[in-house]
């Protein structure tokens, strides 16, 4: 699966809920493909909009090595205690920043079989990934939660990269068109 990068509009969309009838074998095949994509990109979480799907679900694997699926997740409780962590994102490769988030959360969601579950008082990397991926479902990127100047520099850097890639693709297409004539 293609992982969409900073600048792609889908990353800023608020995603639609997954309807119960959508949770079927075809949907589970998408989840499986997302896990494969996440692992091959050395990630710990991957949200649907990151692979071009504007729906409320994500996959993750924390430091306990358990694959987890969250469909229509809702964070139902957060601690007042905050924790800093150096976050990165598959949609913003090569860029990390220290982000402050609640240290402890509780979340409810549907699993890959369409059954509700709740995780109470998640901490550490588990809590961090859930919050990060849930933000994706609301069109929020981790850089939105950090230093404003860092965010601006990161966005500008990715715009320049996209422009250079477009120029390179245009030159390649022009060369190819020239060879065909």
């Amino acid at each position: 699966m293609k992982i969409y990068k900073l600048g792609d509009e889908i990353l800023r969309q608020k995603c639609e809920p997954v309807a119960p009838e959508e949770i079927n074998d075809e949907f589970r095949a998408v989840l499986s493909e997302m896990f494969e994509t996440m692992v091959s990109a050395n990630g710990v979480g991957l949200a649907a909009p990151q692979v071009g799907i504007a729906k409320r679900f994500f996959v993750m694997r924390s430091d306990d090595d358990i694959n987890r699926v969250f469909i229509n997740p809702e964070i139902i409780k957060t601690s007042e205690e905050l924790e800093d962590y150096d976050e990165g994102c598959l949609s913003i490769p090569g860029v990390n920043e220290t982000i402050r988030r609640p240290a402890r959360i509780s979340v409810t969601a549907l699993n890959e079989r369409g059954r509700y579950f709740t995780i109470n008082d998640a901490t550490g990397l588990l809590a961090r990934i859930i919050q990060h991926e849930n933000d994706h479902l609301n069109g929020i990127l981790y850089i939105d939660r950090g230093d404003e100047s860092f965010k601006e520099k990161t966005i500008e850097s990715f715009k320049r990269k996209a422009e250079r890639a477009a120029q390179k693709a245009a030159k390649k297409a022009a060369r190819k068109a020239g060879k065909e004539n």
Side-chain angles (χ1 to χ4, degrees), residues 17-142:
V18 175
E21 62 273 9
E22 292 179 88
I23 304 172
N24 55 30
D25 288 342
E26 187 178 320
F27 183 82
R28 285 185 280 279
V30 169
L31 295 172
S32 179
E33 197 173 345
M34 285 177 67
F35 274 115
E36 288 175 25
T37 301
M38 177 190 82
V39 169
S40 69
N42 295 315
V44 293
L46 188 64
Q50 291 181 275
V51 292
I53 304 168
K55 291 285 193 169
R56 297 189 68 76
F57 66 94
F58 63 85
V59 300
M60 63 159 289
R61 182 184 301 157
S62 187
D63 45 4
D64 58 9
D65 285 334
I66 296 172
N67 286 348
R68 290 185 173 91
V69 173
F70 292 76
I71 303 168
N72 300 335
E74 284 185 55
I75 294 176
I76 53 177
K77 188 171 98 181
T78 60
S79 66
E80 288 185 28
E81 176 191 355
L82 302 175
E83 237 173 31
D84 289 341
Y85 189 84
D86 193 36
E87 283 190 37
C89 181
L90 295 176
S91 292
I92 312 174
V95 179
N96 290 52
E97 183 182 21
T98 300
I99 302 296
R100 180 166 284 189
R101 293 186 187 268
R104 183 178 304 275
I105 65 161
S106 294
V107 61
T108 186
L110 295 171
N111 67 16
E112 66 278 5
R113 296 277 167 212
R115 295 189 182 100
Y116 277 100
F117 69 93
T118 301
I119 298 176
N120 288 307
D121 296 323
T123 60
L125 190 57
L126 177 62
R128 177 69 52 167
I129 298 168
I130 292 168
Q131 291 174 82
H132 178 109
E133 299 307 328
N134 192 67
D135 273 355
H136 275 297
L137 307 182
N138 296 311
I140 299 167
L141 301 174
Y142 81 97

